[in-house]
Amino acid sequence: MGNWGVIAEYYSDVYRTEFVRRGLETKLQALEALRAALFTYVPSKNLVEKRRRVYRFADQETYLVVIKGKLTQWECTLRIAELISDSTDPDVAEQARMDGGAAEVAEGPQDRIPPGY
């Protein structure tokens, strides 16, 4: 079973990433949630919206949202992401797993609980 989510990435004093939605079963559900969030998502800060512009990247899974407020302009990137350990793609899921007690680190992204936790 896949574990898909919609994330927002933006800069506000520091670079931030937050989940807009998570725990979605399929990529299609994540894309639908992403498109729904394009015109409703607002940052977790006070912003009085006057105008919103949405730009689509070529991959059609990433969008740039630009909100013009009364005093400032705010920008964020909305995109979908999959938890690789739960991927329905066997190659991706296999890469995320490590052998039981192997001391060496497998190549590629890691999604595991470190020893001792």
Side-chain angles (χ1 to χ4, degrees):
M1 135 173 90
N3 192 0
W4 290 86
V6 177
I7 59 172
E9 300 171 314
Y10 59 93
Y11 182 82
S12 175
D13 299 332
V14 295
Y15 180 79
R16 300 184 186 277
T17 301
E18 64 183 52
F19 280 92
V20 176
R21 293 276 311 268
R22 64 170 93 186
L24 300 166
E25 297 295 323
T26 66
K27 184 176 181 179
L28 183 59
Q29 287 176 336
L31 287 169
E32 289 172 0
L34 170 66
R35 291 184 186 113
L38 294 175
F39 298 99
T40 59
Y41 177 75
V42 291
S44 53
K45 61 188 251 179
N46 294 334
L47 180 69
V48 178
E49 183 177 333
K50 290 181 74 178
R51 181 180 68 210
R52 178 182 297 239
R53 291 191 174 184
V54 177
Y55 297 88
R56 183 182 70 193
F57 288 85
D59 66 4
Q60 298 187 16
E61 295 177 358
T62 307
Y63 293 82
L64 174 67
V65 177
V66 179
I67 299 174
K68 173 78 170 133
K70 279 189 168 184
L71 302 174
T72 62
Q73 179 171 296
W74 182 82
E75 301 158 353
C76 81
T77 303
L78 293 173
R79 64 180 68 194
I80 62 171
E82 181 184 22
L83 180 63
I84 62 172
S85 62
D86 289 345
S87 178
T88 55
D89 182 341
D91 293 334
V92 173
E94 186 60 34
Q95 269 187 336
R97 292 190 195 101
M98 290 185 62
D99 291 345
E104 64 185 69
V105 177
E107 289 189 30
Q110 299 298 308
D111 183 25
R112 63 184 181 85
I113 299 173
Y117 280 90

